[in-house]
């Protein structure tokens, strides 16, 4: 395939400088809807003053951008959209493209990138946008369409500026990143998302470039799972894209257990009643088997990434129980003997709970469709069904924010009661989606508290976001150190409490492919090179000593 690369560094500098945003951390803490649910409490990270961005007011055209000065640069209409090259307005130079005639959010304009991108590459798509006066404020999203054997799928570019609300009379910068999937045809486009399904708008100075870097995975680095072999198992979450080339070598090198990151969620396995789609899940199970890693199934019961048909409002309790039990029976028995641990119920509690009320755990359950249609015993029904389907599987209750005392106590009381009633729960999964403001003492207090239940803790989805770095292109040295110090403190705690911790799993391989790619949460950079956090994990005591911290 022919490849073109477009340099847009100057545009990025200009845009961030013009927005002046990277000096104000709070302003750019925009969560996607998925993340909102799982948001960690935003404790204040230690103040590390950000350098003021240099303000550059001069506007230049990137010579490699599609700036529409000579023609429409290969852009074509999408849906009912019509495109006109116009000199009415331009961000720089004289021309821009005007998009009109839209009747649905996905209509407008697209660029075929089949010949300038590759399946499984990673790309950045950037442009400037401005709604017309008549259209008013409009919310835009950068998106991509991949077509495989005639079947299209649609994906959102991610990043703070991949979804913005733009005002007439003002050019607004958009930029986002996306790992591409397999495709026969790929195109990128801009859609409206919220305000402005029929808005008309101008775009200018578009760039599209590969941001994949050569992997520099170093197979001489000590293996994380070996370093911790005497303490607990060490895992990561994977998607099928990770099972090739260096990424697969990297997984084999550092981990002895893998969690299925997305492909065993209810909507991945049974989006349509009775029609199970096993391909991706089986591929990951096969990889675990070939490499002697033990496999963690994630997850059987959740309020997200689950199809509506399972527990639609108004459905009878009996029908919902039947859907729940038959899904669990089918999935768990298929992988019996292969999946050693199942995250059975995920995130059944509200984001945070009042400590004074924690004993009444039923009152702080998350209002989910399962709770509404079945009642609070959906949790125990799920555990019993999983146990029936595979009596040898280790069954976990998994949740986030469990370092928070109120939520910790609520979960503690629920599990205590269920255990007293003979419900088969064999471990507590502390997800561990932390941020640099997380207090290690709270994490340790929760581990010790759960240990009182007599079942082990699994750290199931560890990552540490640097929220103050959101929207920045790179992680500053100060932020990298701040994150590494917390990794060191946490791993010291995990090691000291390894008698009650069975496993630590990090949620993903590297910063760029993480679900929180905008906040540098993991111990490896996008090219799989080790960050300071890797060295902090490797030897927490030495790391803390070296940095004169404890
Ligand atoms: C995340 C995946 O990593 C993303 O790829 C996906 O888009 C959303 O879900 N808690 C969980 C995980 O239990 O299933 C979530 O995984 C992260 C939060």
């Amino acid at each position: 395939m022919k490849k073109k690369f477009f340099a847009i560094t100057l545009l990025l500098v200009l845009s961030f400088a013009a927005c002046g945003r990277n000096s104000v951390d709070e302003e750019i803490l925009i969560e996607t809807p998925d993340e909102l649910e799982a948001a960690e409490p935003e404790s204040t990270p230690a103040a590390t003053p950000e350098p003021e961005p240099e303000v550059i007011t001069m506007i230049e055209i990137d010579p490699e951008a599609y700036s529409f000065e000579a023609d429409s640069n290969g852009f074509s209409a999408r849906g009912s959209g019509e495109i006109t090259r116009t000199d009415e307005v331009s961000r720089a130079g004289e021309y821009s493209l005007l998009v009109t005639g839209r009747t649905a959010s996905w209509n407008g304009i697209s660029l075929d990138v089949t010949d300038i991108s590759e399946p499984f590459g990673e790309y950045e798509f950037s442009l400037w946008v401005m709604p017309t006066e008549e259209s008013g404020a409009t919310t835009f999203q950068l998106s991509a369409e991949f077509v495989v054997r005639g079947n299209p799928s649609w994906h959102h570019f991610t990043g703070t500026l991949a979804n913005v609300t733009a005002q007439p009379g003002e050019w607004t910068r958009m930029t986002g990143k996306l790992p591409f999937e397999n495709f026969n045809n790929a195109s990128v486009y801009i859609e409206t998302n919220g305000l402005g399904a029929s808005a008309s708008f101008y775009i200018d100075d578009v760039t599209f470039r590969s941001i994949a870097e050569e992997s520099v995975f170093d197979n001489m680095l000590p293996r994380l799972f070996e370093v911790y072999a005497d303490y607990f198992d060490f895992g990561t979450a994977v998607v099928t894209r990770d099972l090739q080339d260096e990424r697969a070598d990297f997984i084999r090198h550092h981990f002895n257990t893998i969690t299925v990151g997305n492909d065993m969620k209810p909507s991945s396995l049974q989006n349509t009643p009775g029609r199970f789609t096993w391909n991706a899940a089986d591929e990951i199970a096969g990889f675990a088997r070939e490499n002697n890693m033990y496999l963690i199934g994630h997850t059987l019961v959740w309020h997200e990434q689950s199809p509506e048909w399972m527990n639609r409002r108004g459905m009878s309790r009996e029908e919902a129980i039947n859907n729940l039990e038959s899904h669990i029976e089918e999935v768990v028995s298929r992988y019996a003997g292969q999946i050693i641990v199942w995250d059975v119920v995920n995130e059944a509690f509200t984001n945070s709970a009042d400590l004074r009320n924690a004993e009444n755990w039923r009152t702080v359950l998350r209002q989910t469709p399962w709770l509404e249609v079945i009642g609070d015993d959906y949790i125990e029904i799920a555990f019993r069904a999983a146990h029936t389907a595979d009596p040898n599987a280790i069954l976990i209750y998994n949740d986030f924010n469990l370092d928070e005392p109120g939520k910790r106590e609520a979960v503690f009381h629920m599990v205590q009661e269920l255990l007293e009633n003979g419900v088969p729960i064999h471990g507590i999964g502390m997800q561990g989606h932390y941020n640099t403001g997380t207090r290690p003492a709270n994490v340790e207090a929760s581990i010790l508290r759960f240990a009182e239940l007599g079942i082990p803790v699994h750290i199931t989805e560890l990552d540490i976001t640097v929220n103050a770095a959101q929207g920045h292109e790179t992680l500053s040295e100060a932020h990298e150190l701040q994150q590494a110090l917390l990794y060191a403190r946490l791993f010291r705690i995990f090691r000291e409490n390894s008698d009650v911790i069975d496993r630590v799993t990090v949620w993903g391989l590297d910063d760029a492919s993480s679900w929180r790619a905008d906040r540098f949460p993991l111990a490896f950079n996008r090219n799989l090179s080790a960050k300071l956090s890797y060295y902090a994990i490797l030897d927490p005591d030495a790391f803390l000593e070296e940095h004169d911290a404890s």
Side-chain angles (χ1 to χ4, degrees):
M1 268 187 212
K2 194 166 51 127
K3 270 199 177 176
K4 258 197 228 165
F5 296 96
F6 299 98
I8 60 144
T9 322
L10 173 65
L11 279 176
L12 271 179
V13 171
L14 280 170
S15 66
F16 282 118
C19 300
R21 288 183 103 158
N22 43 352
S23 60
V24 188
D25 297 323
E26 280 67 35
E27 264 186 33
I28 51 176
L29 278 175
I30 296 171
E31 308 266 9
T32 65
D34 262 352
E35 293 184 52
L36 265 181
E37 286 296 81
E40 299 287 316
E42 301 292 0
S43 26
T44 326
T48 313
E50 288 297 326
E52 281 297 316
E54 197 185 334
V55 177
I56 306 171
T57 44
M58 167 188 68
I59 294 183
E60 283 183 12
I61 308 178
D62 179 335
E64 300 201 60
Y66 301 95
S67 58
F68 312 117
E69 295 306 302
D71 56 30
S72 298
N73 292 117
F75 275 80
S76 56
R78 182 172 166 80
S80 68
E82 287 162 30
I83 54 178
T84 322
R85 199 165 70 92
T86 174
D87 60 1
E88 278 168 45
V89 291
S90 179
R91 195 197 68 91
E94 282 173 37
Y95 289 89
S96 64
L97 275 194
L98 171 62
V99 184
T100 54
R102 303 173 63 251
T103 52
S105 60
W106 55 274
N107 288 174
I109 191 164
S110 79
L111 176 67
D112 189 321
V113 293
T114 308
D115 290 339
I116 54 170
S117 60
E118 285 185 342
F120 305 113
E122 186 164 10
Y123 295 89
E124 183 179 70
F125 178 34
S126 312
L127 50 75
W128 296 80
V129 67
M130 177 163 73
T132 60
E133 285 297 332
E134 306 75 59
S135 299
T138 306
T139 304
F140 294 100
Q141 167 71 50
L142 298 178
S143 300
E145 177 179 285
F146 305 130
V147 182
V148 182
R149 287 185 295 277
N151 295 320
S153 65
W154 300 281
H155 307 261
H156 285 171
F157 280 80
T158 59
T160 313
L161 301 182
N163 183 286
V164 300
T165 298
Q167 307 291 338
E170 204 176 287
W171 285 103
T172 297
R173 172 71 171 160
M174 296 189 73
T175 183
K177 298 174 181 179
L178 184 70
F180 275 25
E181 302 195 339
N182 195 16
F183 62 80
N184 303 121
N185 259 84
S187 55
V188 293
Y189 60 100
I190 178 168
E191 59 183 310
T192 45
N193 186 351
L195 287 178
S198 59
S200 296
F201 55 86
Y202 303 92
I203 63 165
D204 207 356
D205 298 333
V206 183
T207 57
F208 175 78
R209 66 167 187 139
S210 163
I211 48 170
E213 283 174 45
E214 280 297 294
S215 153
V216 294
F217 158 55
D218 178 356
N219 64 7
M220 299 305 281
L221 287 179
R223 296 164 182 263
L224 289 174
F225 83 88
E226 280 185 3
V227 170
Y228 281 94
D230 291 340
Y231 299 94
F232 37 72
D233 292 309
F234 209 123
T236 188
V238 306
V239 293
T240 51
R241 186 162 46 85
D242 297 322
L243 307 181
Q244 288 151 26
D245 309 323
E246 281 87 0
R247 295 179 80 75
D249 294 338
F250 174 86
I251 296 169
R252 284 187 276 260
H253 188 78
H254 284 299
F255 307 103
N256 68 339
T257 166
I258 53 177
T259 301
V260 183
N262 259 323
D263 296 308
M264 288 192 181
K265 290 173 179 169
S267 50
S268 300
L269 290 181
Q270 199 190 177
N271 206 29
T272 313
R275 259 194 49 207
F276 285 83
T277 39
W278 303 112
N279 287 0
D282 281 355
E283 201 182 322
I284 296 173
F287 180 86
R289 206 170 37 243
E290 282 157 26
N291 294 291
N292 292 321
M293 294 169 167
Y294 81 85
L295 189 61
I296 317 285
H298 173 87
T299 178
L300 297 167
V301 183
W302 194 22
H303 62 285
E304 279 182 34
Q305 293 177 265
S306 299
E308 226 194 303
W309 67 262
M310 281 190 176
N311 46 28
R312 191 171 287 124
R313 182 170 282 155
M315 178 183 281
S316 73
R317 171 176 153 90
E318 289 63 39
E319 192 180 349
I321 290 178
N322 186 44
N323 289 341
L324 181 75
E325 289 183 332
S326 61
H327 179 80
I328 292 175
E329 152 65 20
E330 188 84 25
V331 175
V332 174
S333 58
R334 180 183 180 88
Y335 296 104
Q338 272 191 74
I339 288 192
I340 305 301
V341 179
W342 266 108
D343 292 338
V344 178
V345 177
N346 200 29
E347 304 181 354
F349 282 85
T350 49
N351 288 2
S352 63
D354 184 346
L355 185 54
R356 289 163 302 184
N357 192 34
E359 275 187 46
N360 300 321
W361 60 268
R362 288 182 172 80
T363 63
V364 283
L365 285 175
R366 185 184 294 277
Q367 293 302 313
T368 72
W370 286 124
L371 179 69
E372 249 178 69
V373 182
I374 297 183
D376 57 47
D377 56 347
Y378 83 89
I379 298 169
E380 73 170 87
I381 293 173
F383 277 94
R384 291 189 196 278
H387 188 62
T388 306
D390 181 1
N392 296 319
I394 294 167
L395 306 181
I396 299 268
Y397 175 74
N398 195 45
D399 214 328
F400 63 92
N401 281 2
L402 295 187
D403 53 321
E404 202 191 85
K407 191 159 175 180
R408 168 189 82 208
E409 288 304 312
V411 169
F412 177 91
H413 283 103
M414 174 188 77
V415 176
Q416 188 178 48
E417 183 182 322
L418 296 186
L419 288 174
E420 277 165 16
N421 294 337
V423 178
I425 301 187
H426 310 120
I428 307 277
M430 293 179 65
Q431 288 187 359
H433 291 300
Y434 298 133
N435 61 65
T436 48
T438 295
R439 297 197 188 158
N442 286 352
V443 175
E444 184 164 32
S446 295
I447 293 169
L448 293 170
R449 180 69 165 145
F450 292 135
E452 290 174 29
L453 293 166
I455 55 176
V457 166
H458 292 229
I459 308 294
T460 52
E461 307 184 12
L462 181 64
D463 53 16
I464 301 176
T465 54
V466 184
N467 293 343
Q470 190 178 34
H472 294 219
E473 280 292 283
T474 53
L475 190 59
S476 69
E477 275 180 33
H479 283 150
E480 190 173 345
L481 177 60
Q482 198 185 353
Q483 179 190 55
L485 290 171
L486 183 55
Y487 267 113
R489 292 186 175 112
L490 291 178
F491 270 87
R492 197 167 56 181
I493 289 169
F494 298 156
R495 211 180 47 193
E496 279 165 6
N497 295 288
S498 64
D499 54 331
V500 293
I501 297 180
D502 274 6
R503 167 178 59 105
V504 176
T505 291
V506 291
W507 201 246
L509 276 56
D510 66 282
D511 280 350
S513 62
S514 156
W515 73 308
R516 287 179 162 172
D518 55 342
R519 282 170 276 166
F520 310 92
L522 294 168
F524 293 89
N525 291 304
R526 64 162 59 250
N527 60 4
L528 299 180
S529 63
K531 292 164 64 180
L532 274 186
S533 291
Y534 164 81
Y535 296 97
I537 295 172
L538 205 58
D539 191 343
D541 292 335
F543 191 86
L544 290 168
E545 199 174 312
E546 186 184 331
H547 292 281
D548 204 15
S550 55

